[in-house]
Amino acid sequence: MEADGEDPTHRSRQDSEASKSGNAQWRSLFAFTSRSHVLPFCIALALSVASGAVTPVLSYLLGKIFDSFTRFGAGKFDGTELVTRVSKYAIGLTGLGAGSGLLHTGYFGFWLAFGELQAKCARDSLYAGMLEKDMEWYDMRKDGIETLIQRLQTQIRELQLATSQPLGFAIQSTITALAALGLAMYTAWDLTLITIATIPFSVIVLGRISAKMQPNIDAQAEDLSTASKLANNALQAIDTIKYFNGQDFETWQYAKAIKRAAGKYLSQAMGNSLQIGFTRFVTQSMFVQGFWYGSHLVVSGKKDPGQVLTAFWSCLMALQAVEEILPQMIVLEKGRAAGATLKAILTQMGKRHRVVMTGQLKPDFCEGDIEVRNVSFCYPSRPDQRALIDASFFFPAGETTFVIGKSGSGKSTLGNLLMRFYEPVSGDVFIDGHAVQTLDIGWLRNNITLIQQQSVLFNETIFKNIAFGRKDWDRVTRGEVKRSITTAALQDTINDLPRGLDTVVGTGGSAMSGGQRQRVAIARACLRDTPILILDEATSALDHISKDMVMSAVREWRQGKTTIIITHDLSQIEDHEYAYILDKGLVVQEGYRYALENGSAGPLAAPRRPSVTYPTTRRLPRLPEATRKRSVTTLSSMSRSSNVSAASVDSLDIHYRPRPQSVYVPAIFSPTAGNSRDGRKSHFEPFVSPAAAGAFSMHRLSTAPTLFGRPSISGSQADPMHNWPLPPPRAKHMRDLSMVNQLHQSATGVGRPAVEKRASRPVDRQSKVIPMKTMKPRAESSIDDRRGTEQTITHNSVAPIKKILLTVWPTLTWKHRPMLLGGFVAAGIHAAATPIFSWVFSKLLATFFLPVNRSQEALKWSLSVLAVGVGDAVAVYFMHYLLETCGQAWVDSLRIEAMKRIIEQPRAWFDRDKNGVSKLTECLDRNPEEMRNLLGRFAGFMFVVVVMLLLALTWSLVVCWKLTLVGLASGPFIYVITRSYQAVSARWESRSNDAGTAAAAIFTETFGNVRTVRALTLEAYLHQKYLRSTETACKVGIRRSLYSSIFYGISDSGIVFATALIFYYGAVLASAQAFSTENIIQVFSMLLFSIANANAILTFIPQINSSCATATRLLRLANLPYKSSHEHLGHLRSPVVGTIMFKDVNFTYPSRPFGPVLNNISLTLPPNTSIALVGSSGSGKSTIASLILGLYPPTSGALTFDSVPMADLHLPSLRSLIAVVSQTPQIFATTVALNIAYALPERSTLASRAAIEHAAEVAGIHDFITSLPRGYQTLIGDGGTTLSGGQAQRIAIARAVARQPLLLILDEATSALDGENAKGIRELVRSLVDQGTGVMMVTHDRDMMAACEDVVVLKEGTVAERGAFGDLIQRDGGELRRLLGDH
């Protein structure tokens, strides 16, 4: 016995623990350090200690050199002695530089390698841990598994970044500080204690600030998780978004979440800026007490100037080392939080609370007897609603048994329990007399094959996808696969492919139709040939003849083997076959078909659905008066008493918590006015869609609160989106209302009252992103578009930081531009403070060889340093905070711009592998977080270095030009090695990122399709594949660390060599009396401080290169062409859909160029009629619907609406007149009500509570919705309540009906519905047609065809025959008759 499964009552607490890192310890950075990592870690640590000790040695040598110059200035020895002494120390510096270079090479390389090892361990551990989790764990992720996957990848990256050079640099700086303080204490302990007297207080202050930053890191992670979820859901549902003009709504939602996350980050930035500014002030304030007391020691003869300078220089270096750690603190804090979160998730994966049997039994043979005895079960997301209630089944070995029932009756649950995806709440399941809990899970799944309705294919070849059916897939022969293909009736499809079995199917099988994917899954099951087969609606996407062929082949193949067929298609059941009938989780009847048909209850005949009545105004039924009065109250008001602040919900928390809704108006419905295309001023009334007319009055429209109204929130919470950074809508020209009414009346003969104003087109926001010149523009289509071109990048190309930063100014709003200027002004002040400080510091040094007033002068110049320190600290604070604020605004604008442009891309763009959903979501989620550092951290620092060097060099040239020129002579050498280091680092950073992305893609493919992976027992194969990819990523990263570290060490040595040269030549000049000693010391101070700051850039180069690589990817998306595809070429707005005509249309999917889908087709679809498109799988039925909705343009030929070419029509307006229900309905991760009212305008009565409930009643889903715990406010979709396929389809139907369209397209919309609900949809179709609404159905269902007035039969992309169903079915040799098997 072992713990398995999780008690749902513990989920909220566990998830909260897993996601919150407010109590994260610094040891969390080493959460994934294994024993094999100890050796490289110890080596890296030892090298960090050694390299950290270099600085005190450097401090000692510098103290000796300054002491020599001080003694020379005081006249204690001559110039020859000065040159001799300084030469000796310069040689020491040269040796120290060589040793330092070797140490820095080792420490830098080993820390980069350690970060790679940490990332690999985290990836491997999480993958292995998630493989072990049951389906209940996946179902209970609040934001859904897809969002969790993306956040895990981001957190792994944050951990990797923190445990590489930032951690090494922090350890090195800590060792430097301790060693420097040790040297200072040894040299002059009393001076050291006085100098560092403020450190304890400073540590307390810095610790308090750091503690306040951590909660904001957690809150930001939660908001970014929400944003990632919204982006992921939107990109997965791109077809639905386009159908319903939801682009602006999705952008608005995403921007809202991003703005919340930005607020949390700015709180972090303020804390970090305070830390840096405070430390800067403390560092420079040391001079007040330090130099005053040091001067006293020299005057009193207790210490010589060399000892004081050595001690003081050591204290200064110690504080500077601490100061240099602070810019890395945000990276380290994020890494600490990420490590704690990842470890908590991994730990939580191992926590199990419900004890069940873990089987070890592996019988030698599986007979196939299955008994389900008194089983009850409820899904984790619906613990109060049972899917099965005391259900009992017996499936005898070697027989075929059917399970039928309505949508949501529990049919699919049976398959999930038999596969042990879930454990029953009560009851038992036996296979061959053995309780499934006693059976080894691998044995069980190797003897059962489950094919579900949504067939999942992997991004491999067809051959490999079928071969995955066997454990020894690598030994499967092509002959074996071909036999399975014959059973699945797939041979013709494969023969038509240019590469046959070697054709790659794309991510999720995107290169194949739904029916083709189902047949590949059946072929895979045939090759697998297990004793038990479960077909769960596995042929729902097939045409009748293909379905009959496949079912006949399955019956022949499965003779003598246990087969369970879960379906609502009663035609598949033969008289001698046994069937169970489920209803609401109960087995209500069972028996052989002939017996059930002869029974008085007629169990196979679904009870008659109540008829649906509709008004004669071409719209859905007028709401009753009582209902209309209720329509002023919307569903949003139903949840006002139970709102929970979003900030209180953690990223892994249980999902039953509502989100406040904010007001949103889709741009397609916004009334605007403006200029015509030819530039002449024109003004038109808003366009009135006929889809909006009918049952509601203007008075109710203007006063009713709506579904999108904002619920009350406790406390005062201002909506942060009132000023989100997309510019306001531009005015657009519209048609005159009278003209619209005339056109409509002439087309339909009916005039409609204007009840709802719709805008002419969506908001066309101006892009504020400068296209990067390094990116080569490539047109998305052949149309010349002046509004933008897609900026593409090659696989390894990375834009230079300069051209990336050039996009900052035009991207920022006028609110942030003054802040940007202020940030650089503060940076300039900070840069000027260093030369000023160096000058004052030289004056302090000069006090040591003053004959009189030494203490007074020391105090004067110490106070001067204090004044400089105060100004510098304030400038540093504002520099960091203002630039971080502008950096956040910059990446937020780019994020939102990228999201806006992504969802406006043509559908073909999403079919490309490089534009997969996981890749796009990762780019929007992780890349901006790294990109922000370019402005927030690095740009200001580089500006400071440049200004500082210019000021220091100018000042130095004035004071001592010869010494300055010698210093400049080393510049080319340092520049060359630094640029070489940057180039090598950038090249390998890009390769490392690509390798990491490849590993992440396998992670996503595995856990995004975890049911299929487990059903096929592919865990071992995918695990090995993932381990190989992470091993490759780790090796690339280690090679990156090797090459980068070599150049880093050379760069570090070069600067020390230049320092030795400057000191030696300074001694030569001083000995020759060419310049005064004081002037030479001034130049030393300026050049040394400037070189030290320039040297610090070296440590940032890997991070800068990483940020440039991610910035390039995000900028590619932010510079995509906006509204320049075929979808936005037209401007004509028609009030009706009219007659749709295809004339000689050819079409080939861009992602499937191996053959045309439509072949010179000519087809006329009249308005206000019901038409069925019929044909075998892949004949082009769904393609016709896609072309009508403008997802793709025809390859050739003409597509017109009322004789107007589609290219001239404004597609958003056309789509507002059409509603679609696709074969695979998209459910958004929000409430039921918001799913039905998706993207409807804010004040539309169509979004009222009564209208939504009415649409749900028409779709036959109202009763189910009201049975949910929170009714219409129940969360569904990712992280929400689980829906059956039929329930999802009916919600999609309600969504379509709620819009009261002029044309309703149903694409296999009843494939997952039982007979009773399908009958209701047929009655709905008839009612809509009677009211004048056109209906086009893509279907394989005989009854749905019969319900239509016209049937168009397609074959190989052309019209084979057309006519009334009754006529076609009686036509001898007709194609319809052949498809339906009527011979």
Side-chain angles (χ1 to χ4, degrees), residues 243-244 618-619 690-691 1135-1140 1165-1171 1184-1185 1188-1189 1201 1214-1221 1296-1297 1299-1306 1328-1329 1332-1337:
Y243 293 155
F244 296 105
R618 286 191 56 195
R619 297 273 59 87
V1136 295
V1137 176
T1139 299
I1140 304 172
L1165 305 174
N1168 311 325
T1169 60
S1170 58
I1171 300 173
I1184 288 178
I1188 290 175
L1189 286 154
F1201 292 75
L1214 178 64
R1215 288 171 180 168
S1216 70
L1217 307 177
I1218 305 173
V1220 187
V1221 180
V1297 171
R1299 278 151 177 75
Q1300 302 187 357
L1302 296 182
L1303 173 64
L1304 176 64
I1305 298 178
L1306 303 175
L1328 289 173
V1329 173
T1333 296
V1335 178
M1336 187 181 82
M1337 287 194 292

Short mmCIF file of all heavy atoms in Angstrom, two decimals, residues 243-244 618-619 690-691 1135-1140 1165-1171 1184-1185 1188-1189 1201 1214-1221 1296-1297 1299-1306 1328-1329 1332-1337:
data_model
loop_
_atom_site.label_atom_id
_atom_site.label_comp_id
_atom_site.label_asym_id
_atom_site.label_seq_id
_atom_site.Cartn_x
_atom_site.Cartn_y
_atom_site.Cartn_z
N TYR A 243 -13.52 34.63 -35.50
CA TYR A 243 -14.94 34.47 -35.83
C TYR A 243 -15.79 35.55 -35.17
O TYR A 243 -16.70 36.12 -35.78
CB TYR A 243 -15.46 33.11 -35.35
CG TYR A 243 -14.90 31.91 -36.06
CD1 TYR A 243 -14.88 30.66 -35.43
CD2 TYR A 243 -14.39 31.99 -37.35
CE1 TYR A 243 -14.37 29.54 -36.06
CE2 TYR A 243 -13.88 30.88 -37.99
CZ TYR A 243 -13.87 29.65 -37.34
OH TYR A 243 -13.36 28.55 -37.96
N PHE A 244 -15.49 35.81 -33.88
CA PHE A 244 -16.35 36.69 -33.08
C PHE A 244 -15.73 38.07 -32.85
O PHE A 244 -16.17 38.79 -31.96
CB PHE A 244 -16.67 36.03 -31.75
CG PHE A 244 -17.48 34.77 -31.88
CD1 PHE A 244 -16.90 33.53 -31.72
CD2 PHE A 244 -18.82 34.83 -32.22
CE1 PHE A 244 -17.63 32.37 -31.87
CE2 PHE A 244 -19.57 33.68 -32.35
CZ PHE A 244 -18.97 32.44 -32.19
N ARG A 618 -37.68 37.33 -37.56
CA ARG A 618 -36.38 36.82 -38.01
C ARG A 618 -35.36 36.77 -36.89
O ARG A 618 -34.21 36.49 -37.13
CB ARG A 618 -35.79 37.67 -39.14
CG ARG A 618 -36.44 37.47 -40.45
CD ARG A 618 -35.63 38.12 -41.51
NE ARG A 618 -34.26 37.64 -41.50
CZ ARG A 618 -33.27 38.24 -42.14
NH1 ARG A 618 -33.50 39.35 -42.79
NH2 ARG A 618 -32.05 37.74 -42.11
N ARG A 619 -35.79 37.00 -35.67
CA ARG A 619 -34.85 36.92 -34.56
C ARG A 619 -35.29 35.80 -33.63
O ARG A 619 -36.35 35.21 -33.77
CB ARG A 619 -34.81 38.24 -33.79
CG ARG A 619 -34.31 39.37 -34.65
CD ARG A 619 -32.81 39.51 -34.64
NE ARG A 619 -32.07 38.35 -35.10
CZ ARG A 619 -31.78 38.12 -36.38
NH1 ARG A 619 -32.15 38.96 -37.32
NH2 ARG A 619 -31.09 37.06 -36.72
N PRO A 690 -28.06 44.43 -38.77
CA PRO A 690 -29.36 43.79 -38.68
C PRO A 690 -29.38 42.69 -37.64
O PRO A 690 -30.43 42.30 -37.17
CB PRO A 690 -29.59 43.23 -40.08
CG PRO A 690 -28.23 43.15 -40.68
CD PRO A 690 -27.45 44.24 -40.08
N ALA A 691 -28.20 42.19 -37.29
CA ALA A 691 -28.14 41.15 -36.28
C ALA A 691 -28.52 41.67 -34.91
O ALA A 691 -28.77 40.91 -34.00
CB ALA A 691 -26.75 40.55 -36.23
N PRO A 1135 -24.86 45.42 -44.92
CA PRO A 1135 -25.74 45.10 -43.79
C PRO A 1135 -26.27 43.68 -43.85
O PRO A 1135 -26.92 43.23 -42.92
CB PRO A 1135 -26.87 46.12 -43.94
CG PRO A 1135 -26.96 46.36 -45.41
CD PRO A 1135 -25.55 46.28 -45.91
N VAL A 1136 -26.02 42.97 -44.93
CA VAL A 1136 -26.52 41.60 -45.08
C VAL A 1136 -25.39 40.72 -45.59
O VAL A 1136 -24.43 41.19 -46.19
CB VAL A 1136 -27.71 41.54 -46.05
CG1 VAL A 1136 -28.91 42.29 -45.50
CG2 VAL A 1136 -27.32 42.09 -47.42
N VAL A 1137 -25.56 39.43 -45.37
CA VAL A 1137 -24.59 38.48 -45.91
C VAL A 1137 -24.87 38.25 -47.39
O VAL A 1137 -23.96 38.23 -48.22
CB VAL A 1137 -24.65 37.15 -45.14
CG1 VAL A 1137 -23.72 36.12 -45.77
CG2 VAL A 1137 -24.30 37.37 -43.67
N GLY A 1138 -26.14 38.11 -47.73
CA GLY A 1138 -26.53 37.97 -49.13
C GLY A 1138 -26.16 36.63 -49.71
O GLY A 1138 -25.87 35.65 -49.00
N THR A 1139 -26.19 36.56 -51.02
CA THR A 1139 -25.86 35.33 -51.74
C THR A 1139 -24.35 35.16 -51.79
O THR A 1139 -23.61 36.04 -52.22
CB THR A 1139 -26.41 35.38 -53.17
OG1 THR A 1139 -27.84 35.51 -53.11
CG2 THR A 1139 -26.05 34.10 -53.93
N ILE A 1140 -23.91 34.01 -51.35
CA ILE A 1140 -22.47 33.69 -51.34
C ILE A 1140 -22.19 32.86 -52.59
O ILE A 1140 -22.83 31.84 -52.83
CB ILE A 1140 -22.07 32.93 -50.08
CG1 ILE A 1140 -22.47 33.73 -48.83
CG2 ILE A 1140 -20.58 32.62 -50.08
CD1 ILE A 1140 -22.28 32.97 -47.54
N LEU A 1165 -24.57 29.84 -52.67
CA LEU A 1165 -25.28 29.62 -51.41
C LEU A 1165 -26.25 30.77 -51.20
O LEU A 1165 -25.85 31.86 -50.81
CB LEU A 1165 -24.29 29.53 -50.25
CG LEU A 1165 -23.17 28.49 -50.38
CD1 LEU A 1165 -22.18 28.61 -49.23
CD2 LEU A 1165 -23.74 27.09 -50.45
N PRO A 1166 -27.53 30.56 -51.49
CA PRO A 1166 -28.51 31.65 -51.35
C PRO A 1166 -28.74 32.00 -49.89
O PRO A 1166 -28.51 31.19 -49.00
CB PRO A 1166 -29.77 31.07 -52.00
CG PRO A 1166 -29.62 29.59 -51.88
CD PRO A 1166 -28.15 29.31 -51.97
N PRO A 1167 -29.21 33.22 -49.61
CA PRO A 1167 -29.45 33.62 -48.22
C PRO A 1167 -30.74 33.02 -47.68
O PRO A 1167 -31.59 32.53 -48.42
CB PRO A 1167 -29.56 35.15 -48.33
CG PRO A 1167 -30.09 35.39 -49.70
CD PRO A 1167 -29.51 34.30 -50.57
N ASN A 1168 -30.88 33.06 -46.36
CA ASN A 1168 -32.11 32.71 -45.66
C ASN A 1168 -32.56 31.29 -45.93
O ASN A 1168 -33.76 31.00 -45.94
CB ASN A 1168 -33.24 33.69 -46.02
CG ASN A 1168 -32.80 35.13 -45.89
OD1 ASN A 1168 -32.01 35.47 -45.00
ND2 ASN A 1168 -33.27 35.99 -46.79
N THR A 1169 -31.63 30.39 -46.17
CA THR A 1169 -31.97 28.98 -46.39
C THR A 1169 -31.04 28.13 -45.53
O THR A 1169 -30.04 28.60 -44.99
CB THR A 1169 -31.80 28.57 -47.86
OG1 THR A 1169 -30.43 28.79 -48.24
CG2 THR A 1169 -32.71 29.38 -48.76
N SER A 1170 -31.39 26.85 -45.43
CA SER A 1170 -30.53 25.90 -44.72
C SER A 1170 -29.88 24.99 -45.73
O SER A 1170 -30.54 24.40 -46.58
CB SER A 1170 -31.35 25.09 -43.71
OG SER A 1170 -32.41 24.40 -44.35
N ILE A 1171 -28.56 24.91 -45.65
CA ILE A 1171 -27.78 24.15 -46.61
C ILE A 1171 -26.84 23.22 -45.85
O ILE A 1171 -26.19 23.65 -44.89
CB ILE A 1171 -26.95 25.07 -47.52
CG1 ILE A 1171 -27.86 26.01 -48.31
CG2 ILE A 1171 -26.06 24.27 -48.47
CD1 ILE A 1171 -27.13 27.06 -49.11
N ILE A 1184 -14.57 25.35 -46.89
CA ILE A 1184 -15.52 26.32 -47.43
C ILE A 1184 -15.97 27.28 -46.33
O ILE A 1184 -16.04 28.51 -46.54
CB ILE A 1184 -16.72 25.60 -48.07
CG1 ILE A 1184 -16.28 24.93 -49.37
CG2 ILE A 1184 -17.88 26.55 -48.31
CD1 ILE A 1184 -17.36 24.13 -50.07
N ALA A 1185 -16.24 26.74 -45.14
CA ALA A 1185 -16.63 27.61 -44.02
C ALA A 1185 -15.50 28.56 -43.66
O ALA A 1185 -15.73 29.75 -43.38
CB ALA A 1185 -17.01 26.74 -42.82
N ILE A 1188 -15.42 31.37 -46.23
CA ILE A 1188 -16.53 32.31 -46.04
C ILE A 1188 -16.23 33.28 -44.91
O ILE A 1188 -16.56 34.48 -44.99
CB ILE A 1188 -17.83 31.53 -45.77
CG1 ILE A 1188 -18.29 30.80 -47.04
CG2 ILE A 1188 -18.94 32.46 -45.26
CD1 ILE A 1188 -19.49 29.90 -46.84
N LEU A 1189 -15.59 32.80 -43.87
CA LEU A 1189 -15.26 33.65 -42.73
C LEU A 1189 -13.95 34.39 -42.91
O LEU A 1189 -13.52 35.14 -42.03
CB LEU A 1189 -15.20 32.80 -41.46
CG LEU A 1189 -16.58 32.37 -40.97
CD1 LEU A 1189 -16.49 31.10 -40.16
CD2 LEU A 1189 -17.23 33.48 -40.16
N PHE A 1201 -19.95 38.10 -52.14
CA PHE A 1201 -21.13 38.20 -51.30
C PHE A 1201 -22.04 39.24 -51.94
O PHE A 1201 -21.68 40.42 -51.99
CB PHE A 1201 -20.75 38.62 -49.87
CG PHE A 1201 -19.99 37.59 -49.11
CD1 PHE A 1201 -18.65 37.35 -49.38
CD2 PHE A 1201 -20.61 36.83 -48.13
CE1 PHE A 1201 -17.93 36.40 -48.69
CE2 PHE A 1201 -19.90 35.87 -47.42
CZ PHE A 1201 -18.56 35.65 -47.71
N LEU A 1214 -18.43 41.83 -41.66
CA LEU A 1214 -19.04 40.62 -42.18
C LEU A 1214 -19.13 39.54 -41.11
O LEU A 1214 -20.18 38.88 -40.95
CB LEU A 1214 -18.23 40.10 -43.38
CG LEU A 1214 -18.72 38.79 -44.01
CD1 LEU A 1214 -20.11 38.98 -44.62
CD2 LEU A 1214 -17.73 38.29 -45.05
N ARG A 1215 -18.07 39.37 -40.35
CA ARG A 1215 -18.08 38.35 -39.30
C ARG A 1215 -19.08 38.67 -38.21
O ARG A 1215 -19.57 37.75 -37.53
CB ARG A 1215 -16.68 38.23 -38.70
CG ARG A 1215 -15.67 37.55 -39.63
CD ARG A 1215 -14.26 37.64 -39.10
NE ARG A 1215 -13.30 36.99 -39.98
CZ ARG A 1215 -11.98 37.11 -39.89
NH1 ARG A 1215 -11.46 37.90 -38.95
NH2 ARG A 1215 -11.18 36.47 -40.71
N SER A 1216 -19.38 39.95 -38.00
CA SER A 1216 -20.37 40.30 -36.98
C SER A 1216 -21.77 39.85 -37.37
O SER A 1216 -22.66 39.81 -36.53
CB SER A 1216 -20.36 41.81 -36.73
OG SER A 1216 -20.88 42.52 -37.85
N LEU A 1217 -21.96 39.51 -38.65
CA LEU A 1217 -23.27 39.04 -39.13
C LEU A 1217 -23.35 37.52 -39.15
O LEU A 1217 -24.40 36.96 -39.44
CB LEU A 1217 -23.53 39.56 -40.55
CG LEU A 1217 -23.40 41.07 -40.75
CD1 LEU A 1217 -23.62 41.42 -42.22
CD2 LEU A 1217 -24.37 41.82 -39.87
N ILE A 1218 -22.22 36.86 -38.87
CA ILE A 1218 -22.15 35.41 -38.96
C ILE A 1218 -21.72 34.85 -37.61
O ILE A 1218 -20.88 35.42 -36.93
CB ILE A 1218 -21.14 34.97 -40.05
CG1 ILE A 1218 -21.50 35.60 -41.39
CG2 ILE A 1218 -21.08 33.46 -40.17
CD1 ILE A 1218 -20.45 35.35 -42.48
N ALA A 1219 -22.30 33.74 -37.22
CA ALA A 1219 -21.87 33.04 -36.00
C ALA A 1219 -21.50 31.62 -36.38
O ALA A 1219 -22.09 31.02 -37.28
CB ALA A 1219 -22.98 33.04 -34.95
N VAL A 1220 -20.50 31.09 -35.67
CA VAL A 1220 -19.92 29.80 -36.03
C VAL A 1220 -19.87 28.89 -34.81
O VAL A 1220 -19.58 29.33 -33.70
CB VAL A 1220 -18.49 29.97 -36.58
CG1 VAL A 1220 -17.96 28.65 -37.11
CG2 VAL A 1220 -18.45 31.03 -37.66
N VAL A 1221 -20.17 27.63 -35.04
CA VAL A 1221 -19.93 26.58 -34.05
C VAL A 1221 -19.03 25.57 -34.72
O VAL A 1221 -19.43 24.89 -35.66
CB VAL A 1221 -21.23 25.91 -33.58
CG1 VAL A 1221 -20.92 24.84 -32.54
CG2 VAL A 1221 -22.20 26.94 -33.02
N ALA A 1296 -23.13 31.15 -30.17
CA ALA A 1296 -23.47 31.56 -31.53
C ALA A 1296 -24.89 32.11 -31.61
O ALA A 1296 -25.14 33.15 -32.23
CB ALA A 1296 -23.30 30.38 -32.48
N VAL A 1297 -25.82 31.43 -30.97
CA VAL A 1297 -27.23 31.84 -31.03
C VAL A 1297 -27.43 33.18 -30.33
O VAL A 1297 -28.26 34.00 -30.75
CB VAL A 1297 -28.12 30.75 -30.41
CG1 VAL A 1297 -29.55 31.24 -30.25
CG2 VAL A 1297 -28.08 29.48 -31.27
N ARG A 1299 -25.83 35.77 -30.45
CA ARG A 1299 -25.52 36.91 -31.31
C ARG A 1299 -26.63 37.20 -32.32
O ARG A 1299 -26.56 38.20 -33.02
CB ARG A 1299 -24.20 36.64 -32.06
CG ARG A 1299 -23.02 36.95 -31.19
CD ARG A 1299 -21.81 36.14 -31.49
NE ARG A 1299 -20.71 36.56 -30.63
CZ ARG A 1299 -20.61 36.26 -29.34
NH1 ARG A 1299 -21.50 35.49 -28.78
NH2 ARG A 1299 -19.61 36.71 -28.62
N GLN A 1300 -27.61 36.31 -32.40
CA GLN A 1300 -28.72 36.49 -33.35
C GLN A 1300 -28.17 36.81 -34.74
O GLN A 1300 -28.43 37.88 -35.31
CB GLN A 1300 -29.66 37.58 -32.86
CG GLN A 1300 -30.23 37.28 -31.47
CD GLN A 1300 -31.29 38.25 -31.03
OE1 GLN A 1300 -31.59 39.21 -31.73
NE2 GLN A 1300 -31.88 37.99 -29.88
N PRO A 1301 -27.41 35.88 -35.32
CA PRO A 1301 -26.73 36.16 -36.59
C PRO A 1301 -27.66 36.09 -37.78
O PRO A 1301 -28.77 35.55 -37.69
CB PRO A 1301 -25.69 35.05 -36.65
CG PRO A 1301 -26.34 33.91 -35.95
CD PRO A 1301 -27.15 34.51 -34.83
N LEU A 1302 -27.19 36.61 -38.91
CA LEU A 1302 -27.90 36.44 -40.17
C LEU A 1302 -27.54 35.12 -40.84
O LEU A 1302 -28.30 34.61 -41.65
CB LEU A 1302 -27.57 37.59 -41.12
CG LEU A 1302 -28.02 38.99 -40.67
CD1 LEU A 1302 -27.65 40.01 -41.73
CD2 LEU A 1302 -29.50 39.01 -40.38
N LEU A 1303 -26.36 34.60 -40.49
CA LEU A 1303 -25.94 33.30 -41.01
C LEU A 1303 -25.29 32.52 -39.88
O LEU A 1303 -24.38 33.03 -39.22
CB LEU A 1303 -24.95 33.46 -42.18
CG LEU A 1303 -24.31 32.16 -42.70
CD1 LEU A 1303 -25.38 31.23 -43.29
CD2 LEU A 1303 -23.24 32.47 -43.75
N LEU A 1304 -25.79 31.32 -39.65
CA LEU A 1304 -25.23 30.44 -38.63
C LEU A 1304 -24.54 29.27 -39.32
O LEU A 1304 -25.14 28.57 -40.13
CB LEU A 1304 -26.34 29.92 -37.71
CG LEU A 1304 -25.93 28.93 -36.63
CD1 LEU A 1304 -24.97 29.58 -35.64
CD2 LEU A 1304 -27.15 28.36 -35.90
N ILE A 1305 -23.25 29.10 -39.01
CA ILE A 1305 -22.47 28.00 -39.58
C ILE A 1305 -22.23 26.97 -38.48
O ILE A 1305 -21.65 27.29 -37.44
CB ILE A 1305 -21.13 28.50 -40.14
CG1 ILE A 1305 -21.38 29.50 -41.28
CG2 ILE A 1305 -20.29 27.34 -40.64
CD1 ILE A 1305 -20.11 30.09 -41.86
N LEU A 1306 -22.70 25.74 -38.72
CA LEU A 1306 -22.52 24.64 -37.78
C LEU A 1306 -21.58 23.63 -38.42
O LEU A 1306 -21.97 22.92 -39.36
CB LEU A 1306 -23.86 24.00 -37.45
CG LEU A 1306 -24.94 24.92 -36.86
CD1 LEU A 1306 -26.25 24.18 -36.69
CD2 LEU A 1306 -24.48 25.50 -35.53
N LEU A 1328 -34.90 28.81 -37.04
CA LEU A 1328 -34.11 29.93 -37.51
C LEU A 1328 -34.37 30.21 -38.99
O LEU A 1328 -34.48 31.37 -39.41
CB LEU A 1328 -32.62 29.66 -37.28
CG LEU A 1328 -32.15 29.68 -35.83
CD1 LEU A 1328 -30.70 29.23 -35.74
CD2 LEU A 1328 -32.30 31.06 -35.22
N VAL A 1329 -34.47 29.16 -39.77
CA VAL A 1329 -34.72 29.34 -41.21
C VAL A 1329 -36.10 29.93 -41.42
O VAL A 1329 -36.30 30.80 -42.28
CB VAL A 1329 -34.56 28.00 -41.95
CG1 VAL A 1329 -34.99 28.15 -43.40
CG2 VAL A 1329 -33.13 27.52 -41.87
N GLY A 1332 -35.94 33.50 -41.16
CA GLY A 1332 -35.14 34.19 -42.17
C GLY A 1332 -33.65 34.17 -41.93
O GLY A 1332 -32.91 34.84 -42.65
N THR A 1333 -33.19 33.41 -40.95
CA THR A 1333 -31.75 33.28 -40.71
C THR A 1333 -31.21 32.12 -41.53
O THR A 1333 -31.76 31.03 -41.50
CB THR A 1333 -31.47 33.04 -39.21
OG1 THR A 1333 -31.89 34.18 -38.47
CG2 THR A 1333 -29.98 32.81 -38.97
N GLY A 1334 -30.13 32.37 -42.25
CA GLY A 1334 -29.51 31.31 -43.02
C GLY A 1334 -28.70 30.38 -42.13
O GLY A 1334 -28.10 30.82 -41.15
N VAL A 1335 -28.69 29.11 -42.48
CA VAL A 1335 -27.92 28.11 -41.73
C VAL A 1335 -27.14 27.26 -42.72
O VAL A 1335 -27.70 26.76 -43.69
CB VAL A 1335 -28.84 27.20 -40.87
CG1 VAL A 1335 -28.00 26.16 -40.15
CG2 VAL A 1335 -29.65 28.02 -39.89
N MET A 1336 -25.85 27.15 -42.47
CA MET A 1336 -25.01 26.25 -43.27
C MET A 1336 -24.41 25.22 -42.34
O MET A 1336 -23.74 25.57 -41.35
CB MET A 1336 -23.89 27.03 -43.98
CG MET A 1336 -23.11 26.17 -44.95
SD MET A 1336 -21.76 27.09 -45.76
CE MET A 1336 -20.50 27.00 -44.51
N MET A 1337 -24.68 23.96 -42.63
CA MET A 1337 -24.22 22.88 -41.77
C MET A 1337 -23.20 22.02 -42.49
O MET A 1337 -23.45 21.55 -43.60
CB MET A 1337 -25.39 22.02 -41.30
CG MET A 1337 -26.27 22.69 -40.27
SD MET A 1337 -27.37 21.53 -39.46
CE MET A 1337 -28.43 21.09 -40.82
#
